Amino acid sequence: MRAPTWLPMPVRRALRVVRRYWRVLARHLERYTAPARRAWRRSLQLRVVALTLVASSLLVGTFGAFIANSSTDILLSRAEDEARTAMNGKVDYALKQLTLYPQARDPELPNALNDLADELFDGKSGSPGSSIVSIRAENYPDLQAVTVPPTVDTSDLITRDMIEKVSAGSGKQARQIRTAEIYGQVTKYLVYGSPVPTRFGHVELYYMVPLTTEDQDANLIRTIVLATGLALVILLGVVAGLVTRLVVTPVRVAARTAQRLSAGLLDQRMKVDGEDDLALLAAAFNQMAANLQRQIVRLEEMSRLQRRFTSDVSHELRTPLTTVRMAADLIFSEREDFDPAVARSAELLQAELDRFEELLTDLLEISRFDAGFAALDAEHTDLVPIVERVAERLTGLAERAGVELELRLPDTPVIAEVDPRRVERVLRNLVGNAVEHGEAKPVRITMATDDAAVAVTVRDHGIGLKPGEERLVFNRFWRADPSRARQTGGTGLGLSISVEDARLHGGWLEAWGSPGEGAQFRLTLPVRAGDRLVAAPLPLIPRDRTAELSSSPRDRTAEVG
């Protein structure tokens, strides 16, 4: 995001620097936090324990704070009750003593105030934990304020606001909590102030009680609550980890067993311990694995028998086919001497024998792929002559169908490590299908290459493919429109064999189609045998349809390989 242009240039430069350093910091954070995020995503036990710790910490923290605050309030309330009771007693005693002096000018009054303060003081002089008594008569300059112990400075404890509340004449006591440094030690005090109505005027009595014991008790309670809460959270985390492990461990064992089963180790089973739900899960998993093993073995046996049957039938039919072929060739060569009807029958016999022989060849090829016996005879080959040869051999078919073949090939040789026989067969199938379904419109064959791959596309403008047919088109014996008369007399196995040929090369065979707008097939092969394909030099969707793709929900693509 660029900085707004209306900002001054120094500000924009500073923002660019900040943004650059922020990107660097984000990359470092991404790198260092990647293991933790990966562990969080992969470990159910870690997530359960972490969530348990967070939830228990919030719960225990809230409850502990409530207990600590309640305990502190109780301690403070008890201290206030005791201080209030003591303050009322001191006020009553001071009132009795000061009633003996009718006027402020009495020369004995200052000494009486000092004696009264000493009598009201109930602590040990010089002790940090002792209470403090102060008597003030600020409206009478002749009388000094008396504080016991006399060495204590009460200016931080008795504030001006409190003095104003006590001397307001309402006769009510004032209370506050203050912290001050007394005897070199910071101490919290509960300060009470009360007026003492005398016959000679207004006198104020202040009683300051240290809350050291209460603070110590409150700190001890908070420490106990914190330690107990921490121990409880840790205990809950350990319990959650153990409980989660009891559940997760069988799941992990089941996952590893499933991975071994998917890798082909069909004899793998879970250990069944006990009779609980986890044991029931293990037993059900083992039963499922046993059923799958039986089904897979049965299907493999059926597949093996099917492949063997197809191969045996194909081979066994070769001998009678050879005999019938020899007789058919003899009849076909003498057809001009026969009646027109017999001659036509000889031509049909020859055509069907050709198709039958092609079907046997395809069946043998499919059986070799199914059995895993197909081998790639790769060699460095120029693919341009192969495409030209395929187009030349299908020119007659294209002329009969009224289709024009357009070649767009590179001017320089395109060398790739491929099996030329298989590549030619794939291209022959693709071009033959395009001619058959081209609806008498041009078929364009395009080739392109880069450093890693070679791609050949075959584009027709015929009936196209309906949604979902772009994958079905590669199935064996599948036809888009069974009612259409075939011009090429194919076996229905061409595209299936082409897919296997592409896979054998490590390549792709893909299809795109749209109803009424034609189809395009793309064959992509690696330049070097064994290399892994990443991209194709040619697009799968034709260039004349790329601009319309976003507005046409009917377009479909499929990749096989």
Side-chain angles (χ1 to χ4, degrees):
M1 181 177 179
R2 299 178 61 87
T5 56
W6 51 268
L7 289 175
M9 182 58 69
V11 176
R12 282 187 285 173
R13 290 176 178 173
L15 289 176
R16 283 197 294 269
V17 173
V18 170
R19 189 162 54 248
R20 183 166 60 251
Y21 281 104
W22 172 255
R23 286 197 295 266
V24 174
L25 179 61
R27 285 196 297 269
H28 283 287
L29 290 176
E30 179 77 15
R31 182 175 60 187
Y32 291 128
T33 59
R37 289 186 285 108
R38 184 165 53 252
W40 175 266
R41 291 193 305 269
R42 295 181 177 179
S43 176
L44 176 62
Q45 185 177 9
L46 175 62
R47 292 199 299 272
V48 171
V49 172
L51 293 176
T52 301
L53 290 176
V54 172
S56 60
S57 298
L58 293 176
L59 181 61
V60 172
T62 303
F63 184 72
F66 173 75
I67 294 296
N69 293 333
S70 299
S71 301
T72 302
D73 293 340
I74 292 172
L75 293 174
L76 181 59
S77 177
R78 187 181 63 182
E80 289 178 348
D81 292 341
E82 293 176 356
R84 189 183 304 108
T85 302
M87 183 65 180
N88 292 334
K90 295 180 185 300
V91 170
D92 293 340
Y93 182 79
L95 181 60
K96 294 177 181 179
Q97 296 297 322
L98 294 179
T99 53
L100 301 176
Y101 302 92
Q103 56 183 357
R105 300 293 182 179
D106 194 325
E108 297 296 330
L109 186 55
N111 293 330
L113 292 177
N114 289 326
D115 295 338
L116 178 61
D118 290 335
E119 293 174 0
L120 295 177
F121 180 65
D122 53 5
K124 182 179 180 181
S125 180
S127 175
S130 300
S131 60
I132 303 172
V133 175
S134 178
I135 300 176
R136 294 172 177 269
E138 294 188 357
N139 295 333
Y140 304 96
D142 295 338
L143 299 178
Q144 299 290 328
V146 180
T147 301
V148 179
T151 58
V152 176
D153 182 10
T154 61
S155 59
D156 292 335
L157 298 177
I158 305 174
T159 61
R160 177 56 56 185
D161 292 339
M162 188 174 189
I163 293 175
E164 291 177 355
K165 292 178 181 179
V166 173
S167 61
S170 60
K172 295 182 179 180
Q173 294 181 353
R175 164 198 166 281
Q176 68 178 6
I177 297 177
R178 299 285 296 176
T179 301
E181 185 176 351
I182 306 299
Y183 299 114
Q185 182 176 349
V186 178
T187 308
K188 183 184 296 184
Y189 278 85
L190 174 61
V191 183
Y192 269 93
S194 175
V196 181
T198 62
R199 290 190 296 173
F200 61 83
H202 184 75
V203 177
E204 304 165 6
L205 175 61
Y206 295 93
Y207 182 50
M208 290 149 277
V209 182
L211 299 177
T212 305
T213 303
E214 286 74 12
D215 277 348
Q216 292 176 352
D217 294 343
N219 291 332
L220 180 60
I221 291 174
R222 281 193 289 268
T223 301
I224 293 175
V225 170
L226 179 61
T228 305
L230 183 60
L232 182 60
V233 169
I234 294 175
L235 180 60
L236 288 174
V238 173
V239 172
L242 294 177
V243 173
T244 308
R245 183 178 180 180
L246 291 176
V247 179
V248 170
T249 299
V251 176
R252 290 175 178 171
V253 173
R256 288 194 293 267
T257 306
Q259 290 175 352
R260 296 190 186 103
L261 288 173
S262 64
L265 303 177
L266 300 180
D267 58 341
Q268 296 294 310
R269 297 293 185 270
M270 292 182 62
K271 184 179 180 181
V272 180
D273 293 327
E275 299 179 357
D276 55 6
D277 294 336
L278 296 177
L280 180 62
L281 171 65
F285 185 90
N286 291 341
Q287 183 65 31
M288 179 192 68
N291 293 336
L292 287 176
Q293 184 179 15
R294 286 194 295 269
Q295 292 291 335
I296 291 174
V297 170
R298 186 172 66 87
L299 291 175
E300 287 180 346
E301 182 65 19
M302 292 177 59
S303 178
R304 186 183 66 82
L305 292 176
Q306 182 183 11
R307 292 195 301 268
R308 181 177 178 181
F309 174 78
T310 303
S311 179
D312 291 346
V313 168
S314 301
H315 281 91
E316 291 298 327
L317 288 178
R318 283 288 184 181
T319 301
L321 178 62
T322 303
T323 303
V324 174
R325 165 67 71 180
M326 294 174 61
D329 288 343
L330 179 60
I331 296 173
F332 184 77
S333 63
E334 302 291 337
R335 68 184 183 279
E336 295 181 355
D337 298 335
F338 300 151
D339 293 336
V342 178
R344 177 59 181 165
S345 298
E347 293 174 354
L348 292 176
L349 176 62
Q350 186 76 7
E352 290 304 316
L353 283 175
D354 290 340
R355 184 183 178 194
F356 187 44
E357 188 172 7
E358 183 181 354
L359 176 60
L360 284 180
T361 303
D362 289 345
L363 286 175
L364 285 173
E365 189 68 20
I366 283 292
S367 65
R368 279 193 289 269
F369 279 117
D370 290 340
F373 294 150
L376 187 69
D377 188 12
E379 59 185 44
H380 289 86
T381 307
D382 185 3
L383 297 182
V384 174
I386 294 180
V387 177
E388 293 175 344
R389 185 164 58 248
V390 169
E392 182 180 357
R393 291 180 178 178
L394 292 175
T395 300
L397 175 65
E399 290 177 351
R400 289 193 300 270
V403 174
E404 179 185 358
L405 296 179
E406 300 178 359
L407 297 182
R408 297 184 179 181
L409 307 178
D411 297 331
T412 58
V414 177
I415 306 299
E417 194 175 355
V418 298
D419 187 335
R421 179 181 64 87
R422 296 182 184 275
V423 173
E424 183 173 350
R425 180 168 59 191
V426 173
L427 295 177
R428 186 170 61 250
N429 286 326
L430 296 181
V431 177
N433 285 337
V435 170
E436 180 182 351
H437 299 90
E439 298 291 327
K441 298 177 182 178
V443 171
R444 183 169 61 250
I445 306 171
T446 307
M447 176 185 288
T449 184
D450 56 22
D451 294 337
V454 178
V456 180
T457 61
V458 180
R459 170 77 160 109
D460 66 73
H461 299 81
I463 61 175
L465 296 174
K466 298 177 182 178
E469 292 182 347
E470 62 280 348
R471 290 191 178 274
L472 296 176
V473 73
F474 296 106
N475 293 344
R476 299 176 184 181
F477 302 107
W478 184 86
R479 295 176 64 184
D481 187 1
S483 64
R484 287 178 56 89
R486 299 183 61 91
Q487 301 180 35
T488 60
T491 64
L493 296 173
L495 289 180
S496 301
I497 296 175
S498 298
V499 165
E500 299 298 337
D501 284 333
R503 287 174 177 166
L504 197 61
H505 283 85
W508 304 332
L509 183 56
E510 302 156 282
W512 167 90
S514 184
E517 300 183 19
Q520 176 163 293
F521 288 78
R522 181 178 67 180
L523 173 65
T524 309
L525 302 174
V527 172
R528 290 168 292 276
D531 286 358
R532 182 175 179 272
L533 290 179
V534 178
L538 290 174
L540 175 60
I541 302 174
R543 300 186 188 277
D544 57 351
R545 290 285 297 135
T546 303
E548 305 174 13
L549 180 62
S550 59
S551 61
S552 177
R554 301 175 299 169
D555 294 333
R556 298 291 188 273
T557 61
E559 175 181 333
V560 179

